[in-house]
Amino acid sequence: MSLEIALQEFPKEHKLKDGSLCRFRLLRKDDAMSFHEFFLDMPAEERLFIKHRVTEIEVIEDWCNNIDLGRNLPLLAVVDGKILGAATLHQQLGGWKRHIGRLSVLVHPAHRNRGVARGLIAEMIEIARHIGLEKAEAEFIGEQGAAFKMFGLMGFMQLLRLDNYVKDMQANSHDYILMGLELKTDEEYTGMG
């Protein structure tokens, strides 16, 4: 299935644990200010683990102005124009990792434990399956216990842990954890593959 077909169902409604609804939709060019505010609302200690300088509006504007859904597919959870969470499916379109998608997810602290992360991860897994990816991976720093627990609940397994392997934005060393998931197509689930 193509990416265009997989994305036709968005935007779509998603029911949260409390019964309220949010909307899952793709990142748009006009999201720069609200996406920047989303990152600024993150606790400073959590922003240390983000690979990019998300406090700089220019970084976010560049993302919004240069969206390449084939390489980095950003999906937002939104209510009344406010971003509750964001997930991205990163892929390499060639080379020896072209069959693997890397997932990342971040949820606003005020909206955690409501099913936002689980919903975004599930959508990304489905998109990855539909576009023919065979594996999904996710990267973590050792202190992100809640995050890799959530991915574990979604079927990801720890593939690798390296002690003091990565450095945060303040150059402090942290353990690196790589988790992975084998993606099965619908045909494989039914035994027809």
Side-chain angles (χ1 to χ4, degrees):
M1 181 183 286
S2 73
L3 180 60
E4 294 79 24
I5 293 172
L7 297 180
Q8 283 179 355
E9 65 183 79
F10 296 100
K12 70 190 287 188
E13 299 295 319
H14 175 73
K15 189 179 223 177
L16 300 174
K17 286 181 181 178
D18 62 7
S20 64
L21 295 174
C22 71
R23 180 175 291 260
F24 287 166
R25 67 166 176 80
L26 298 173
L27 180 70
R28 302 184 307 230
K29 287 185 182 221
D30 64 347
D31 285 324
M33 293 305 295
S34 58
F35 204 28
H36 187 239
E37 289 171 16
F38 169 77
F39 285 112
L40 291 178
D41 282 348
M42 290 298 138
E45 62 273 7
E46 289 184 30
R47 283 197 309 262
L48 292 175
F49 302 140
I50 299 173
K51 296 177 183 181
H52 304 279
R53 298 194 177 278
V54 293
T55 57
E56 297 175 9
I57 186 67
E58 298 81 13
V59 170
I60 307 305
E61 287 174 341
D62 181 58
W63 290 353
C64 291
N65 289 325
N66 297 296
I67 298 170
D68 180 352
L69 297 178
R71 292 186 183 278
N72 296 301
L73 193 156
L75 188 64
L76 304 179
V78 180
V79 171
D80 297 327
K82 182 166 178 60
I83 299 172
L84 310 184
T88 305
L89 173 62
H90 309 270
Q91 6 176 19
Q92 295 180 8
L93 301 180
W96 53 279
K97 289 185 81 178
R98 66 188 175 278
H99 63 295
I100 303 171
R102 183 172 45 86
L103 300 180
S104 59
V105 66
L106 186 62
V107 175
H108 189 285
H111 300 285
R112 293 180 182 164
N113 301 310
R114 297 181 65 204
V116 176
R118 179 182 287 272
L120 287 169
I121 294 166
E123 291 295 339
M124 288 302 194
I125 290 170
E126 281 307 304
I127 292 169
R129 281 188 179 117
H130 286 305
I131 61 175
L133 294 177
E134 298 170 19
K135 299 174 187 295
E137 63 184 26
E139 299 175 313
F140 305 96
I141 289 176
E143 289 82 356
Q144 293 178 292
F148 57 78
K149 181 179 180 185
M150 169 56 65
F151 275 80
L153 291 171
M154 300 295 293
F156 283 73
M157 304 294 293
Q158 182 173 310
L159 302 175
L160 175 72
R161 183 181 189 114
L162 300 171
D163 296 338
N164 296 312
Y165 189 74
V166 293
K167 293 190 178 205
D168 63 30
M169 291 301 205
Q170 292 184 341
N172 297 312
S173 294
H174 300 273
D175 294 353
Y176 170 79
I177 298 167
L178 178 66
M179 296 183 79
L181 174 70
E182 293 286 331
L183 299 173
K184 293 184 178 0
T185 63
D186 290 339
E187 292 81 22
E188 289 171 325
Y189 278 127
T190 62
M192 297 172 67

